[in-house]
Amino acid sequence: MLLNRMSWPDVKRARIAQKVVVLPLGSFEQHGPHLPFTTDTDIVTGIARALERKRPGKILLLPTLWVGHSTHHLTFPGTLSAHQMPYIQLLVELCGCVAGMGAKKVFLLNGHGGNDVPARAALRELKCAFPAVRFVFASYWSLAAKTIRAVRESGPGGIGHACEMETSLMLHLHPDRVKMSLARRDGPRHADAYRRVDMQHARPAYFVEEFHEMSKSGVIGDPRLAAPEKGKRFFEGIVAEVGVFVEAFAKW
Amino acid sequence: MLLNRMSWPDVKRARIAQKVVVLPLGSFEQHGPHLPFTTDTDIVTGIARALERKRPGKILLLPTLWVGHSTHHLTFPGTLSAHQMPYIQLLVELCGCVAGMGAKKVFLLNGHGGNDVPARAALRELKCAFPAVRFVFASYWSLAAKTIRAVRESGPGGIGHACEMETSLMLHLHPDRVKMSLARRDGPRHADAYRRVDMQHARPAYFVEEFHEMSKSGVIGDPRLAAPEKGKRFFEGIVAEVGVFVEAFAKW
Amino acid sequence: MLLNRMSWPDVKRARIAQKVVVLPLGSFEQHGPHLPFTTDTDIVTGIARALERKRPGKILLLPTLWVGHSTHHLTFPGTLSAHQMPYIQLLVELCGCVAGMGAKKVFLLNGHGGNDVPARAALRELKCAFPAVRFVFASYWSLAAKTIRAVRESGPGGIGHACEMETSLMLHLHPDRVKMSLARRDGPRHADAYRRVDMQHARPAYFVEEFHEMSKSGVIGDPRLAAPEKGKRFFEGIVAEVGVFVEAFAKW
Amino acid sequence: MLLNRMSWPDVKRARIAQKVVVLPLGSFEQHGPHLPFTTDTDIVTGIARALERKRPGKILLLPTLWVGHSTHHLTFPGTLSAHQMPYIQLLVELCGCVAGMGAKKVFLLNGHGGNDVPARAALRELKCAFPAVRFVFASYWSLAAKTIRAVRESGPGGIGHACEMETSLMLHLHPDRVKMSLARRDGPRHADAYRRVDMQHARPAYFVEEFHEMSKSGVIGDPRLAAPEKGKRFFEGIVAEVGVFVEAFAKW
Amino acid sequence: MLLNRMSWPDVKRARIAQKVVVLPLGSFEQHGPHLPFTTDTDIVTGIARALERKRPGKILLLPTLWVGHSTHHLTFPGTLSAHQMPYIQLLVELCGCVAGMGAKKVFLLNGHGGNDVPARAALRELKCAFPAVRFVFASYWSLAAKTIRAVRESGPGGIGHACEMETSLMLHLHPDRVKMSLARRDGPRHADAYRRVDMQHARPAYFVEEFHEMSKSGVIGDPRLAAPEKGKRFFEGIVAEVGVFVEAFAKW
Amino acid sequence: MLLNRMSWPDVKRARIAQKVVVLPLGSFEQHGPHLPFTTDTDIVTGIARALERKRPGKILLLPTLWVGHSTHHLTFPGTLSAHQMPYIQLLVELCGCVAGMGAKKVFLLNGHGGNDVPARAALRELKCAFPAVRFVFASYWSLAAKTIRAVRESGPGGIGHACEMETSLMLHLHPDRVKMSLARRDGPRHADAYRRVDMQHARPAYFVEEFHEMSKSGVIGDPRLAAPEKGKRFFEGIVAEVGVFVEAFAKW
């Protein structure tokens, strides 16, 4: 079910307590010279819609929040972002509305790395406010690690931001929004393992770097390896793996 | 120009200081049994896109903020809203990003009455933070009062929420999202002039009423008078009148 | 009844739930070279006292809050003001005390334009905190628009701040506090209707201007047209029109 | 100089950096059955005006802030108060305006015990914000301890709230506002020295008690000992001792 | 009882409602060239442990909070401090936990002057949140004024910070942490009684001075008079006098 | 270098910009029936001291912050915690002091899982406030994953809280604080991989569970497998692996 196309009496009849309510979290931030600001939002919306299409009776899909926490991208003009604390507050507000309409299971499906810390912080606030509602947060790349490892061709550092994977996904979902001729590899090349940047590399130590400290172009990874067919494989694998999680979550 | 379809190097080249940057403000709130939650967002987005199409070189159009301040609608399930203070903060955040990318004139084009007070409050905060940037806020129905008076057929109380005008605009813009068979007149019928509710009636005294205190169905006004052709006349008049303001603002 | 002159056992006996409690909102801000900082406070106090004198059994009058939201006047030395958010908080605090003593109808009678937005914002917070108490906010010039139109001689731009009306009211109420020899016309003279400044002109678009951006002397309007007799007519008309509202409000 | 009666050009000419700016802090809180809510405000205003009359060239007197921090009195109806944090913020706002107009020495002359802790907290915030401006806070009874000891007839527990001293001062300053026939002794009579309540007794341990936990009538002390002539001696002694401090402060 | 050495089932069995729970408040701030940053924490911990040793069944001793409010020492490198508002919040948090585990009497035993105002402010917040729990705050030097007067040899200005008393106490408790050869007298020598600085002098007027405005070395007072034997006398007298208070408090 | 034992002139001479400043983060929370509230604090302090002992010239060690973010343990009495937002603020305060004394590299060495999200959030705030200072956060078990995998005997679910590892470490560091006879295995045994709890298992989806929802005793894992000798091996491996990170960080 798409909340977008419903009215309040529809919601009243919808037995929300028995659904998994999905709130996709995007961003509006620079994605290098070859991808639009909406990249994260476009991708996570695509994934969420596909998920819902397969389980229309189980999922209530909310609109994608296109404002993300992108403070680290603000030196690249065009980025629209909320700082950490207002972003946490915004998530708490929206999730509070969802709890208020009777939801018991709420899945924040994330499409932007910068949302990770503040969304986790928001979940702590929500647990205090709504102890009986289950709020779960996951980034699609965490749930779909297997797929990504299987499909990617790049080595460490190839998948980061506006990279092999995101560019492929956009070529699959919105080819008209990609300017492949401008795609370039970029990103830090530290010898030091603690500082390696890759969406599939969990750093043992955490620190904050602004994006301009790591990349001149706004890209981290290798978008030259992107292709529409690869995007299709990423997409279908991600949708399947995220779907496995949703099925499990529905049974908690 | 549509920021949605740009990259950061495009923005860098765009001479933003010479544009009117437009941020449309919508909502995600109940609109009675016959209209979707996206009504305000759909309408203001439609107006903003039409404005931009006529002046692609003068306007930089941002994505519509679909989260609005709809605390007064929260008892109707499905509404997604930010309370007043987080909403103010969110506007300050987004407008801060816009100022940060070099804009000098920013127009918050509003499509939802509930945003009025917090948006004005946000402008005060922004004036302190960015004294040299002009932020202007206006609801389309204020700028287009003449058109609305000319087109409306209802008397006082006919245009409020999910009403003759909004339903007509949706019939024009998104006829598939309207269930006309469910449209009913609703809203308070106070004898007392201080409490009359109509989008074109400025009350001399201000007070806050939750929507469920005024309307059982979530409608205020008379959506039965709505028609697609009337929607077209509303729409074109509004776009023209808002356009006159944008032209004037560009010259301030 | 004047709360100022009561003790707590008097209040306990006063059947507050059946009164209209009136909190006058003033300011302490520059009013040009010819009027004192207390102008708004003096005028709104005068109106409130006259209202109460006519309905001692119906009204419980609180002391006038002389601190207003006058951020836009701060470059004129002598102005004492609270920024927007602390001012909102202050109103919430005071109104919370009033709700706590059992009031059901509270009228914030306003005498300073800068209080308008934050007072409205405060009412939203109060509605959430005290859903069963009616808080109403109105500026005297909104309730008394008819009188003002009838009495004023100036054209558009003549009534703004330290103007024909305020100066006349002060000449009537506190002639010793007015230095008529220093009264000068001032204020912006934009051709553009969107930017016209007059207390009786509702702008369709909203923006924040600091006072020094509009007036060198701190005056907007034409105080030269002020006269004591005119002040008397303004005052009596205002008191009557505000009284009509109070009578209506008492019946809600 | 009285800021109340000045205009902004007067302030500009006033060499504020060379004055002691005095902000009197009152309250609006219950003072038993025999005194009005304005008692603290009336007394501190009386003292401040007398101070200024003797040193019109040295002192710039601001209006008395009648809103105080009286949370501990809120169960007595009629009290109007700001909670601690908004009260701190309010003092910071007002003192910020004073610093902004060029003051270098600002004296918060206090007339209400409940303001003590939040005013000290405000001074810490102000020191960070305006390191070069001297803000000093003192309650008149601290500066005038000698006078009070000399004039009082009551033993320990006689001077607290609506007591021998405050009632005497009101009989001297505003005899029409006192209902002596209702004056009764009240207040706690702990054997334990740690809990003794008297304005001239400094407790070595600090704890918060709501007023209704200590007094049924809202009085602490013995107002029956009050007399107009005693009020005059209190008043003149206090004005003299506070004046000694102002003279010293002016030389720091 | 030492909470440090307990487990949660121990706490469950401990009848906390019948204990005096003691939270010692220290600081981590410069104490001149001859004492460590932990001085206040070391002293207050020593006193608290001695108190508990004598009344193991009556007292539940919490760990000493070594973070204090030391904004006024921040120009001396090495100081670790929380600003006033976060410090208040921290005390509220910790005391909230203590209330949550069932305590009815909580004693904040203070060892650092800078904590005085924010701790009092915290107690006001706690009284609102937990009206039935007694929170008491006292600095050891206030409770033990008699001892200190008896033992001290210095005149006014001799006991302030890193002074005769604190240095003696450290020589008694932790002689290895004192570098007596670096001990020097320092601190302001105003003629003006309003500005005298001594832990045993209550100033009638309050103002904030940063430490570097009063002392070059970070010392106020005369540490040259310190001696281990004197430290023992201070310590034993303080423990005894604070103990008298704890006994009284236990009976409230 | 141990900041604890220094004076401010020592700090001034210490060339702090060239050190790695280490702030150990502990907690004061229940650790089952067999371990004290100080467990995390004791362990992280032990590790930090060992690190410093090996590199006294490179490391400036601060005192361990024993207040952690342990909201999820609050139903177990005795836990002392700061909620998330005040904890973030506290870290920002302390790290702000460290930046203020000239540090360029600051390592928050963490010993408590609950600190993870708020510490990351604090780092984002610090990056905005001090863009040129490197703040790094890491939990010792993340840096020492190899050691832990090598030494542990338990399978998945064996290392969580008050578990095989923590109990072993305490048996090595503070054997007198462990009551092995009370050690029991506890914790959730979900079939579902998304909900497995083990310090070495990274969950792909994030959600907040209060501790009492997962464990009756407050233990997660198998403390019965703990042994002093094993604790020694854990400890030495951890100190070595954390040391490798410190060496790398010193070169960034």
Side-chain angles (χ1 to χ4, degrees), chain E residues 16 93-104 106 126 129-130 133 135:
Chain E
I16 291 197
E93 290 289 305
L94 294 177
C95 289
C97 295
V98 176
M101 62 179 93
K104 292 295 168 211
V106 187
L126 286 161
F130 306 99
V133 181
F135 292 96

Side-chain angles (χ1 to χ4, degrees), chain F residues 60-145:
Chain F
L60 176 67
L61 181 58
L62 308 188
T64 302
L65 185 62
W66 63 257
V67 187
H69 170 55
S70 307
T71 303
H72 47 312
H73 288 279
L74 279 176
T75 55
F76 294 89
T79 300
L80 297 175
S81 162
H83 282 87
Q84 182 171 246
M85 292 302 167
Y87 184 69
I88 291 172
Q89 192 54 41
L90 181 56
L91 293 185
V92 168
E93 290 290 305
L94 295 177
C95 290
C97 295
V98 177
M101 61 180 94
K104 291 298 169 208
K105 290 189 179 166
V106 186
F107 175 24
L108 287 77
L109 171 58
N110 184 42
H112 164 51
N115 297 340
D116 186 88
V117 170
R120 289 170 192 244
L123 258 57
R124 174 66 266 182
E125 303 297 314
L126 287 161
K127 179 72 180 175
C128 287
F130 305 99
V133 181
R134 277 270 193 198
F135 293 96
V136 173
F137 166 87
S139 298
Y140 69 81
W141 56 88
S142 299
L143 292 171

Side-chain angles (χ1 to χ4, degrees), chain A residues 30-199:
Chain A
Q30 72 84 15
H31 273 76
H34 66 293
L35 288 174
F37 293 104
T38 57
T39 298
D40 292 340
T41 293
D42 289 343
I43 292 172
V44 81
T45 302
I47 295 167
R49 293 256 169 94
L51 270 180
E52 188 274 339
R53 266 196 305 274
K54 291 192 189 162
R55 297 165 194 78
K58 278 191 187 158
I59 286 178
L60 176 67
L61 181 58
L62 308 189
T64 302
L65 186 62
W66 62 257
V67 186
H69 170 55
S70 307
T71 303
H72 47 313
H73 288 279
L74 279 176
T75 52
F76 294 89
T79 299
L80 297 175
S81 162
H83 281 87
Q84 181 171 251
M85 292 302 167
Y87 184 69
I88 292 172
Q89 191 55 41
L90 181 56
L91 292 184
V92 168
E93 290 289 305
L94 294 177
C95 290
C97 295
V98 176
M101 62 179 94
K104 292 296 167 209
K105 289 188 179 165
V106 187
F107 174 25
L108 287 78
L109 171 58
N110 184 43
H112 164 51
N115 296 340
D116 186 86
V117 169
R120 289 170 192 244
L123 259 58
R124 174 67 265 181
E125 303 297 313
L126 287 162
K127 179 71 180 176
C128 286
F130 306 99
V133 181
R134 276 270 192 199
F135 293 97
V136 172
F137 166 87
S139 297
Y140 69 80
W141 56 88
S142 298
L143 291 171
K146 225 182 307 175
T147 290
I148 298 171
R149 268 195 303 273
V151 179
R152 74 184 290 177
E153 292 177 287
S154 59
I159 293 194
H161 180 81
C163 57
E164 180 192 9
M165 181 178 70
E166 289 189 347
T167 309
S168 295
L169 285 164
M170 286 299 279
L171 285 171
H172 171 59
L173 293 168
H174 300 285
D176 55 310
R177 300 183 187 169
V178 186
K179 301 177 200 150
M180 271 307 286
S181 64
L182 301 177
R184 297 282 179 279
R185 167 157 203 142
D186 205 345
R189 297 175 192 244
H190 298 297
D192 182 342
Y194 299 104
R195 287 191 280 169
R196 186 179 301 146
V197 186
D198 190 283
M199 234 184 242

Side-chain angles (χ1 to χ4, degrees), chain B residues 12-225:
Chain B
K12 214 163 181 181
R13 285 186 295 265
R15 301 192 179 185
I16 291 197
Q18 292 159 37
K19 313 288 179 204
V20 172
V21 181
V22 178
L23 173 60
L25 302 180
S27 79
F28 196 94
E29 78 186 13
Q30 73 83 16
H31 272 76
H34 67 293
L35 288 175
F37 293 103
T38 55
T39 298
D40 292 340
T41 294
D42 289 343
I43 292 171
V44 82
T45 302
I47 295 167
R49 292 257 169 95
L51 270 180
E52 187 274 341
R53 266 195 304 275
K54 291 192 189 161
R55 296 164 196 78
K58 277 191 187 159
I59 286 178
L60 176 68
L61 181 57
L62 308 190
T64 302
L65 185 62
W66 63 256
V67 187
H69 170 55
S70 307
T71 302
H72 46 313
H73 288 279
L74 279 177
T75 54
F76 294 89
T79 299
L80 297 175
S81 163
H83 282 87
Q84 182 171 247
M85 291 302 168
Y87 184 69
I88 292 171
Q89 192 54 43
L90 181 56
L91 293 185
V92 168
E93 290 289 305
L94 295 176
C95 290
C97 295
V98 177
M101 61 180 95
K104 292 297 169 209
K105 289 189 178 166
V106 187
F107 174 25
L108 287 78
L109 171 58
N110 184 43
H112 164 51
N115 297 339
D116 185 86
V117 170
R120 289 170 192 245
L123 259 58
R124 175 67 266 182
E125 303 297 313
L126 287 161
K127 179 71 180 174
C128 287
F130 306 100
V133 181
R134 276 271 193 198
F135 293 97
V136 173
F137 166 88
S139 298
Y140 70 80
W141 56 88
S142 299
L143 292 171
K146 226 182 304 174
T147 290
I148 298 171
R149 267 194 304 274
V151 178
R152 74 184 291 178
E153 291 178 288
S154 60
I159 292 193
H161 180 80
C163 57
E164 180 191 10
M165 181 179 70
E166 289 189 349
T167 309
S168 296
L169 285 164
M170 285 299 279
L171 285 170
H172 171 60
L173 293 168
H174 300 286
D176 55 310
R177 300 182 187 170
V178 186
K179 301 177 198 150
M180 271 307 286
S181 63
L182 300 177
R184 298 280 179 282
R185 171 164 196 136
D186 205 346
R189 296 173 191 247
H190 299 297
D192 181 341
Y194 297 106
R195 288 191 280 169
R196 186 180 301 144
V197 187
D198 191 281
M199 233 185 243
Q200 295 206 292
H201 172 70
R203 287 175 172 176
Y206 181 84
F207 51 96
V208 176
E209 281 176 302
E210 308 302 0
F211 232 75
H212 66 267
E213 296 173 326
M214 296 186 289
S215 165
K216 205 172 167 181
S217 67
V219 170
I220 291 182
D222 196 349
R224 295 166 314 174
L225 300 175

